[in-house]
Amino acid sequence: METTKSKWVLGHKVTPYDTTGDYDLMMGETPAKVPGPPPHLHQSFKEVFLVVEGEMDFIVDGEAKKISAGESIDIPPNTLHTFGNNSDKPCKWINIHSPKGFREFFESLGVEESDPEAQQKSVAQETIQKVLQTAADYDMIIKL
């Protein structure tokens, strides 16, 4: 399978992979001490995270969960969630959305990895405002 270019999205490096199935597949890398997206839900997408290195902190329907390397977490549709890396070490994770469609969020709102300030630009106030204004277009319903 081919991969597209990595992009920085809200402080996380995300690399989408092409798939033939009805799902989107991404590899994510989160530096130490990087918070996640605002709490949100997807009405149509099932989502799963598999942590492959380090650990990630999730809040799923108000419940805090620490997911370590080798562990996964399922997030059904209409489940309020967020995640971040509160540890002192970077982490890597695989993310799947099913059915296909959420990859477009990363493609549209991410900053090209080749930009020397990509990570900083991905968390700039202008970018965050664009995410807040357009997230619902990608079935990302933000609940602040």
Side-chain angles (χ1 to χ4, degrees):
M1 293 287 160
E2 299 222 1
T3 180
T4 58
K5 293 180 180 175
S6 298
K7 293 194 175 188
W8 284 88
V9 182
L10 298 175
H12 307 262
K13 187 167 90 170
V14 178
T15 306
Y17 290 81
D18 294 334
T19 65
T20 57
D22 193 17
Y23 60 92
D24 290 319
L25 173 66
M26 274 75 66
M27 172 67 82
E29 297 179 47
T30 304
K33 303 294 185 190
V34 170
H40 64 280
L41 58 84
H42 308 285
Q43 295 174 325
S44 302
F45 297 116
K46 300 175 207 124
E47 186 172 14
V48 65
F49 288 84
L50 170 65
V51 176
V52 294
E53 184 178 301
E55 60 187 32
M56 291 273 281
D57 291 287
F58 287 82
I59 299 175
V60 179
D61 273 343
E63 184 180 343
K65 300 175 184 243
K66 187 175 294 293
I67 306 298
S68 299
E71 297 177 331
S72 65
I73 186 166
D74 274 327
I75 302 172
N78 296 306
T79 302
L80 188 63
H81 63 284
T82 187
F83 57 89
N85 180 1
N86 297 323
S87 78
D88 294 325
K89 297 180 181 173
C91 66
K92 291 184 180 180
W93 40 276
I94 294 169
N95 180 229
I96 297 171
H97 288 83
S98 176
K100 266 186 180 175
F102 195 68
R103 173 181 176 164
E104 192 60 35
F105 171 83
F106 300 111
E107 299 282 4
S108 298
L109 297 171
V111 179
E112 294 283 346
E113 177 185 29
S114 59
D115 184 321
E117 297 178 12
Q119 185 181 10
Q120 294 86 344
K121 287 181 180 179
S122 78
V123 294
Q125 193 59 37
E126 177 183 321
T127 303
I128 291 169
Q129 285 306 311
K130 187 174 180 186
V131 168
L132 292 173
Q133 292 166 359
T134 63
D137 296 344
Y138 304 98
D139 188 22
M140 180 176 174
I141 312 305
I142 294 175
K143 304 285 187 174
L144 295 175

